[in-house]
Amino acid sequence: MGKKAIALLSGGLDSTLAAKMMMEQGVEVIGLNFVSPFCPSCRTAGDGGESKIQTAQRQLGVPVRFVPLDEDYVDVIRHGRFGYGAGVNPCIDCRIYTMKKAKKVMEDEGADFIVSGEVLGQRPMSQRKDAMETIDEQSDMGGILLRPLSAREMPPTKPEQDGTLDRDRLGAITGRSRKEQFALAKKYGVTDFPTPAGGCLLTDKNFAVRVRDLFDRQDEVLFRDLQILQFGRIVKLRDQVRVVVGRNERENAMLEAYQDRARAFLMPENFQGPSALILGEHTEADRIDAARMILFWTKKRPTEPMLVWCEAGNRKGVISVTDPYPEGPLREKMI
C-alpha cells in the first residue's frame, strides 16, 4: 500500500515544491492550510481571480483541508515562550502550535508523515537548525516531520529511514537564495507563484504596537479584538478607550460588522464621511469626541447641523457636532 503525507501549504512556492517532491516519489499528498486572520493575503484573490492557496491547489491537483486557528492561538501570541521576531510574531511557538494540529490531521486522515516547505537558514527565527529541533521536540514529531527542500542537510526522518523516500532525491537547499527553488519550479512546471514576501501581519511593527496596547489594557482578548486592529486609524481617547476611524468604504463596512453591545458604532447621517467604532467602556463625552473625529477626517464638511448616527448597545440616536476634533491632540493620540 502506498504512503500518504500531509503537506502544509501556505500558497507560496516552497510549500508547493515540497509537495511536488513527494508526489514525484509516489506519495499521496493531502494539503493542509491553516486559516489565519493574520494572513489575509493568502486568501485574497489576485489579478487572475485566484488566491495564493487556490493557485497552489490547482497546480498540485490535490485535496486541501482548511483548518482555522482556534481562540487559544491568542494565548500563543500573548505568551510566546520562545521569543518574538520584529513584531509580535512568536514564530517558534506558532510552528509548535500548528504542527500539533497537523499531527492530529495526519492521524485523522490515516497519513504516515508531515511535509513542510521550510528551508534551513531561510528565516532567522524559526528556520535555524536549533529552532527546528525545538519545534520537532515540543510538538512531539518523533521523526515524522520532513522538510524535503533541506532534507539532506538534516538528520534522516522516518520516511527516509524506512525506504518510503529516496533521500538522494530530496533537496539540500540552505540559506535565503531562491535560485534552486526557481530551478525546481521550472523542472516541475510550476509557473504561477507569488513573489517571496512575509505575509504574516504579526511581523508588522506598526500592527505590533496596536496588539501590545490591546494586551496592556484588556485581560481577556479574542480573535475579534485582534482583527479590529487591522482596520482604520486608532486613537487613544482615554486609558481604556480607543476610537477606530475607517479610511475607506471597505473599512467602514468592517467596523460596522464588528459592532456589538460593548462597542459603539458611529456613521455620518447627513454627509459623506468615515465611520467609527469605540472600543472600551465609554461615556457620552467619548461618543461626542468620536463624532468630532469623524468630522476631522471628512473631506467635504457640510453646513450645520452636522449629524452623526450613533448606536451603542440599546442606545441609538443622533449626535450633532459643530467642530472637528483638534488636529494636534488627535495626532498625538494616534496609535
Side-chain angles (χ1 to χ4, degrees):
M1 183 179 292
K3 296 290 185 176
K4 185 188 298 185
I6 299 297
L8 276 63
L9 294 179
S10 65
L13 177 60
D14 292 347
S15 61
T16 301
L17 293 176
K20 279 283 190 183
M21 292 178 82
M22 296 300 94
M23 297 166 69
E24 184 184 46
Q25 295 206 36
V27 175
E28 179 184 352
V29 169
I30 297 174
L32 173 60
N33 178 260
F34 290 105
V35 182
S36 168
F38 309 113
C39 188
S41 62
C42 297
R43 250 158 297 282
T44 301
D47 294 337
E50 288 183 328
S51 67
K52 294 178 183 179
I53 191 64
Q54 286 174 328
T55 299
Q57 183 176 11
R58 172 176 55 79
Q59 294 191 109
L60 289 169
V62 301
V64 177
R65 279 194 57 175
F66 295 92
V67 176
L69 301 183
D70 295 327
E71 287 288 348
D72 60 358
Y73 186 67
V74 176
D75 290 330
V76 175
I77 301 170
R78 193 168 197 168
H79 306 293
R81 292 189 299 150
F82 297 97
Y84 298 87
V88 284
N89 49 312
C91 296
I92 295 175
D93 296 89
C94 178
R95 296 303 288 180
I96 294 168
Y97 177 88
T98 52
M99 288 303 176
K100 287 180 178 179
K101 285 188 171 294
K103 188 176 181 182
K104 178 65 167 58
V105 172
M106 182 195 77
E107 293 167 352
D108 291 345
E109 294 286 348
D112 303 285
F113 59 98
I114 298 167
V115 174
S116 169
E118 295 166 288
V119 171
L120 184 64
Q122 187 179 82
R123 296 189 179 181
M125 188 170 182
S126 63
Q127 294 180 13
R128 306 185 316 267
K129 190 170 185 179
D130 62 317
M132 290 177 166
E133 291 172 350
T134 296
I135 292 165
D136 292 0
E137 178 183 345
Q138 293 292 320
S139 54
D140 195 24
M141 285 292 106
I144 60 169
L145 172 56
L146 172 69
R147 301 173 176 94
L149 297 179
S150 299
R152 287 189 285 119
E153 293 293 328
M154 306 179 75
T157 56
K158 282 187 176 181
E160 297 166 84
Q161 294 170 334
D162 65 16
T164 298
L165 298 172
D166 181 351
R167 182 174 169 87
D168 290 337
R169 294 169 65 187
L170 299 177
I173 302 173
T174 61
R176 306 191 69 170
S177 173
R178 308 275 292 176
K179 290 182 180 179
E180 292 184 75
Q181 285 97 315
F182 293 151
L184 281 174
K186 185 176 182 180
K187 171 186 174 182
Y188 292 132
V190 177
T191 57
D192 296 334
F193 51 87
T195 302
C200 180
L201 191 58
L202 297 176
T203 65
D204 184 273
K205 293 181 180 179
N206 294 324
F207 184 70
V209 171
R210 295 182 170 193
V211 173
R212 293 192 181 102
D213 173 72
L214 173 62
F215 286 155
D216 286 344
R217 63 184 166 84
Q218 194 166 310
D219 292 333
E220 183 180 354
V221 174
L222 304 177
F223 262 145
R224 284 176 62 85
D225 301 317
L226 288 169
Q227 286 176 283
I228 292 171
L229 304 183
Q230 300 178 41
F231 309 111
R233 314 164 181 97
I234 298 183
V235 181
K236 179 180 179 180
L237 190 54
R238 292 189 291 108
D239 286 346
Q240 299 298 317
V241 181
R242 303 291 181 268
V243 179
V244 188
V245 183
R247 292 171 292 196
N248 51 51
E249 289 186 12
R250 174 181 172 272
E251 290 191 345
N252 292 339
M254 293 302 298
L255 294 180
E256 185 173 9
Y258 281 109
Q259 178 197 359
D260 60 24
R261 294 183 61 85
R263 305 181 182 118
F265 176 72
L266 300 91
M267 63 183 295
E269 175 86 351
N270 65 339
F271 60 95
Q272 296 277 332
S275 298
L277 192 68
I278 303 178
L279 313 177
E281 189 171 341
H282 49 273
T283 66
E284 182 179 357
D286 295 330
R287 293 190 289 273
I288 293 172
D289 280 340
R292 295 174 69 202
M293 290 178 192
I294 287 177
L295 192 57
F296 174 83
W297 274 298
T298 295
K299 294 179 180 178
K300 294 182 179 180
R301 294 171 189 162
T303 57
E304 296 182 14
M306 291 163 281
L307 305 178
V308 175
W309 170 259
C310 179
E311 186 170 345
N314 295 326
R315 185 186 295 106
K316 301 177 182 179
V318 173
I319 299 173
S320 178
V321 288
T322 58
D323 60 325
Y325 202 92
E327 181 173 8
L330 184 60
R331 299 293 185 189
E332 291 176 3
K333 294 177 180 180
M334 288 184 65
I335 299 174

